[in-house]
Amino acid sequence: MWTDAHSNMTVVETSIGKVVASAKHSIATGTVGRVEYAYADELEMGHELIAMNGSAVRVVSTGVQAAAGFYSPLTYSSNFFVGSSADSVVLAHGFAHNPAPVFSAHVVHALMNIAEVRVGPGRSRGVPGAL
């Protein structure tokens, strides 16, 4: 589910480009295989984020700006990439405003799997007769 958001957003400039996210959106830090998440407004110069190719990109500055965007995306993995261009994206988590996004994602996806088994594939997504 995507919902339109209009508010002050956190701007994170990295060595490969700019990311604009809600202050409490979880952004992946660390390295592939040892991913941790930090809220966008907690990122500081020097933090390393995870780029789409798995490399580490350094935060060079942060700030705030008024912006319109989307929040609450629900994806199959609960992860997605955010950035100002295809070349500047970093890994983010769909469970914003949540101090334990990975744990919460497991719970929500388990509940959705149960609903899909009980209701049937596709029907739990509001698609009548879908397989």
Side-chain angles (χ1 to χ4, degrees):
M1 175 175 82
W2 290 87
T3 307
D4 196 27
H6 298 275
S7 64
N8 285 332
M9 303 286 225
T10 300
V11 179
V12 180
E13 291 279 348
T14 71
S15 54
I16 59 171
K18 178 168 72 170
V19 175
V20 179
S22 66
K24 296 301 178 193
H25 216 102
S26 298
I27 307 294
T29 63
T31 60
V32 173
R34 190 177 165 100
V35 177
E36 297 178 7
Y37 291 92
Y39 291 137
D41 69 349
E42 295 174 348
L43 296 173
E44 298 175 344
M45 191 168 78
H47 272 120
E48 290 188 338
L49 310 181
I50 300 173
M52 189 175 335
N53 65 4
S55 67
V57 296
R58 218 170 265 290
V59 173
V60 295
S61 69
T62 61
V64 177
Q65 77 178 39
F70 295 104
Y71 64 93
S72 298
L74 182 58
T75 65
Y76 183 76
S77 68
S78 295
N79 287 316
F80 56 98
F81 288 93
V82 296
S84 59
S85 71
D87 295 329
S88 69
V89 295
V90 296
L91 186 64
H93 200 284
F95 283 63
H97 300 269
N98 187 323
V102 175
F103 173 78
S104 299
H106 288 301
V107 172
V108 169
H109 286 285
L111 292 172
M112 291 177 70
N113 288 338
I114 291 167
E116 190 168 60
V117 167
R118 291 184 48 85
V119 178
R123 289 184 176 86
S124 63
R125 292 184 294 274
V127 182
L131 296 175

